[in-house]
Amino acid sequence: MGKISWYHSIRWKLALSYLLVSILPVVFFFITVLNDIESYYIAERHRRLQYTAHVEAGTLTNANYFDNLTQGPLMMAMNQGISARSQAGSYRIIVFDNRFMVVHDTNMLQTRNTIIVPEVVSAITGTGSTVGINREEEVVYAASAIFNENGDRIGAVLLAESAADVFDSLNLIRYTIILYSVIAGLVVCVLVIFASQVLISPLKGILRVVSKMSDGHFTHRVKVKGQDEYSYLGRSFNQMSEKLEQAEKAREEFVSNVSHELKTPLSSIKVLSESILLEETTPIATYREFLQDINSEVDRMTVIVNDLLELVKLDRREHGLHISSVELNSLIEDILKRLSPIAEQKRIILLYEDVRQVILDADEVKLTLAISNIVENGIKYTSSGGTVKVVLDADYQNAVITIQDTGIGIPEEEQSMIFNRFYRVDKMRARGTGGTGLGLAISHTAILLHNGIIQLASVLNEGSTFTIRLPIQRGL
């Protein structure tokens, strides 16, 4: 398993996500607030300047300013009054006629020049807004119309005032916000990195164990603490690790058992064949005896290989299940009829009780194999004079098959392993039974394929009871 680069790490993705989620709303909030503050201060400055412009325009209207343009002393006095008010109010006053020519400028810069100012145009024509702002020069404007005696617009007065103090205050607020944002961002970064470390640390532990397991070390486990999602994941992973370890042990044991089961008949065949080859004057009877023994060992190997192939087919689902409607009562009767000669030979009584008629959806061949193996197993390990009883019953969902024998039983500590391949209780390992240790494993697999379950209850030296539950309808 390769090393994860830092930019692909979930830790940094989480850290970046938390950072964006925490910082971006704050930045957006500060920008919004700053814009609202700026709009408020500018609007307040506009209102005050607009009011002053109306007052100034009213003063010039009442003084018949444009009617006295030709009277030098009076005009000079009026302009001096305008300049005095401009200086007192700290704003610039520019008077325009209705041709947009500057009649008077308190700064004496634009007198007798024609200037098209949008606010002045709006004031004279009576359309649009009469306030404005020049952000580059940090100046706000307000214009108001001057009227004659007939109420006609004959000019306008424009007031221009510096808004540098407003922008200076806003810049100070902006820099303060940026400073606090940077500090908050650094604090959040530290907290997010710490939090991401806390969150990712358990996951790193799991990844280390995964890496070990990918190398075949199935004994490693995740250290679990707490009751959160990580601890639940760790426990689930440990359960999976245990199952993988058990599967690996079962595989190794399976390979060992297969080797053992095949090695024994092969060794016998080799010894018998060498005996025949080394003896130059071997009697015909001895030849026949040795060849019969070799034939028996070949038959035994054939049984083992056939059982192994059957297990492989079941495991791989190579042929699937050929589902059909099966009358279980007749199927069990046929099985018992076929096995009755074996039972009679051992003087074992076969009993059958069908409580009710049962028809279910199943693969008849595989189900026959599963039930046959269990019944035959009961016959093999039941002493002469004993009984093997099969009971068929059903509820509204499941068929229940109970196979009970009075055989040697199985120790409690070994009952959980009885369905393992090649597993045989020590007392059953005698070759006299002729078993391969695969019958119950085949039955177990076949029943699982039918979505059924098989359970064992056994008492040593008293007998065993296998209970099979199969859904009557496919999918239950």
Side-chain angles (χ1 to χ4, degrees), residues 261-406:
E261 294 294 335
L262 294 178
K263 181 180 178 181
T264 302
L266 285 172
S267 298
S268 298
I269 292 172
K270 183 173 178 60
V271 170
L272 291 170
S273 60
E274 285 179 348
S275 298
I276 295 174
L277 292 173
L278 292 175
E279 291 290 338
E280 296 182 358
T281 58
T282 305
I284 298 297
T286 304
Y287 271 112
R288 289 183 177 277
E289 181 183 352
F290 281 12
L291 289 174
Q292 286 176 355
D293 290 340
I294 290 173
N295 186 62
S296 298
E297 294 298 336
V298 170
D299 289 340
R300 175 172 173 74
M301 289 177 61
T302 302
V303 171
I304 293 174
V305 171
N306 288 337
D307 284 348
L308 285 172
L309 289 175
E310 187 64 37
L311 271 174
V312 169
K313 290 178 183 179
L314 292 173
D315 285 342
R316 293 183 178 177
R317 278 66 168 172
E318 285 183 351
H319 304 292
L321 293 177
H322 301 286
I323 301 298
S324 62
S325 183
V326 177
E327 186 180 353
L328 201 52
N329 305 68
S330 300
L331 184 144
I332 295 176
E333 285 180 359
D334 291 340
I335 291 172
L336 296 181
K337 189 178 298 183
R338 189 174 68 254
L339 294 176
S340 59
I342 301 175
E344 290 173 0
Q345 187 179 4
K346 291 189 64 176
R347 290 184 295 175
I348 292 173
I349 302 172
L350 278 180
L351 301 176
Y352 176 47
E353 178 183 355
D354 51 349
V355 178
R356 65 188 75 246
Q357 197 75 12
V358 180
I359 299 176
L360 77 164
D361 298 333
D363 184 319
E364 185 171 358
V365 174
K366 290 182 175 61
L367 189 56
T368 300
L369 180 63
I371 298 173
S372 297
N373 283 343
I374 297 174
V375 175
E376 187 175 1
N377 200 70
I379 295 172
K380 285 179 181 179
Y381 300 111
T382 298
S383 302
S384 178
T387 60
V388 175
K389 183 178 181 180
V390 180
V391 179
L392 173 61
D393 198 354
D395 54 28
Y396 67 97
Q397 280 188 332
N398 299 300
V400 182
I401 306 168
T402 305
I403 303 169
Q404 183 178 16
D405 64 62
T406 58

Side-chain angles (χ1 to χ4, degrees), residues 177-189:
I177 289 174
I178 292 173
L179 177 62
Y180 284 131
S181 297
V182 171
I183 295 173
L186 292 174
V187 172
V188 170
C189 282

Side-chain angles (χ1 to χ4, degrees), residues 72-364:
L74 183 57
M75 184 65 180
M76 185 178 295
M78 294 176 70
N79 287 339
Q80 287 177 350
I82 293 172
S83 298
R85 291 192 296 275
S86 171
Q87 187 175 3
S90 300
Y91 43 76
R92 179 183 179 185
I93 301 177
I94 305 175
V95 182
F96 292 82
D97 62 15
N98 56 5
R99 291 172 297 179
F100 307 109
M101 186 180 73
V102 177
V103 177
H104 178 67
D105 181 1
T106 55
N107 285 4
M108 304 302 291
L109 297 176
Q110 303 293 342
T111 304
R112 298 302 175 183
N113 290 331
T114 300
I115 305 174
I116 304 299
V117 180
E119 291 78 15
V120 174
V121 174
S122 297
I124 293 175
T125 59
T127 59
S129 175
T130 57
V131 294
I133 183 172
N134 187 331
R135 294 184 180 277
E136 293 182 1
E137 298 181 4
E138 298 181 349
V139 176
V140 292
Y141 302 101
S144 185
I146 301 174
F147 299 88
N148 61 14
E149 294 178 352
N150 298 325
D152 298 325
R153 299 172 188 266
I154 57 174
V157 59
L158 176 69
L159 271 65
E161 183 179 12
S162 173
D165 57 331
V166 174
F167 285 100
D168 288 344
S169 299
L170 291 173
N171 287 334
L172 180 61
I173 295 173
R174 184 178 290 108
Y175 294 145
T176 303
I177 289 174
I178 292 173
L179 177 62
Y180 284 131
S181 297
V182 171
I183 295 173
L186 292 174
V187 172
V188 170
C189 282
V190 173
L191 293 177
V192 164
I193 291 173
F194 175 76
S196 63
Q197 174 65 23
V198 172
L199 290 173
I200 299 301
S201 181
L203 187 58
K204 285 185 176 180
I206 295 176
L207 289 176
R208 283 193 294 270
V209 176
V210 171
S211 179
K212 292 289 185 181
M213 290 187 62
S214 65
D215 294 331
H217 303 289
F218 297 110
T219 57
H220 288 263
R221 299 290 183 270
V222 177
K223 294 182 180 179
V224 179
K225 295 180 181 179
Q227 297 294 328
D228 57 8
E229 287 81 358
Y230 280 120
S231 61
Y232 180 79
L233 176 62
R235 291 188 184 93
S236 299
F237 184 82
N238 286 341
Q239 291 176 359
M240 183 190 70
S241 301
E242 290 174 2
K243 290 182 179 179
L244 286 174
E245 185 181 1
Q246 291 173 1
E248 179 63 16
K249 289 181 179 178
R251 184 190 66 82
E252 293 174 355
E253 185 179 353
F254 177 74
V255 172
S256 175
N257 287 332
V258 169
S259 301
H260 172 77
E261 294 294 335
L262 294 178
K263 181 180 178 181
T264 302
L266 285 172
S267 298
S268 298
I269 292 172
K270 183 173 178 60
V271 170
L272 291 170
S273 60
E274 285 179 348
S275 298
I276 295 174
L277 292 173
L278 292 175
E279 291 290 338
E280 296 182 358
T281 58
T282 305
I284 298 297
T286 304
Y287 271 112
R288 289 183 177 277
E289 181 183 352
F290 281 12
L291 289 174
Q292 286 176 355
D293 290 340
I294 290 173
N295 186 62
S296 298
E297 294 298 336
V298 170
D299 289 340
R300 175 172 173 74
M301 289 177 61
T302 302
V303 171
I304 293 174
V305 171
N306 288 337
D307 284 348
L308 285 172
L309 289 175
E310 187 64 37
L311 271 174
V312 169
K313 290 178 183 179
L314 292 173
D315 285 342
R316 293 183 178 177
R317 278 66 168 172
E318 285 183 351
H319 304 292
L321 293 177
H322 301 286
I323 301 298
S324 62
S325 183
V326 177
E327 186 180 353
L328 201 52
N329 305 68
S330 300
L331 184 144
I332 295 176
E333 285 180 359
D334 291 340
I335 291 172
L336 296 181
K337 189 178 298 183
R338 189 174 68 254
L339 294 176
S340 59
I342 301 175
E344 290 173 0
Q345 187 179 4
K346 291 189 64 176
R347 290 184 295 175
I348 292 173
I349 302 172
L350 278 180
L351 301 176
Y352 176 47
E353 178 183 355
D354 51 349
V355 178
R356 65 188 75 246
Q357 197 75 12
V358 180
I359 299 176
L360 77 164
D361 298 333
D363 184 319
E364 185 171 358

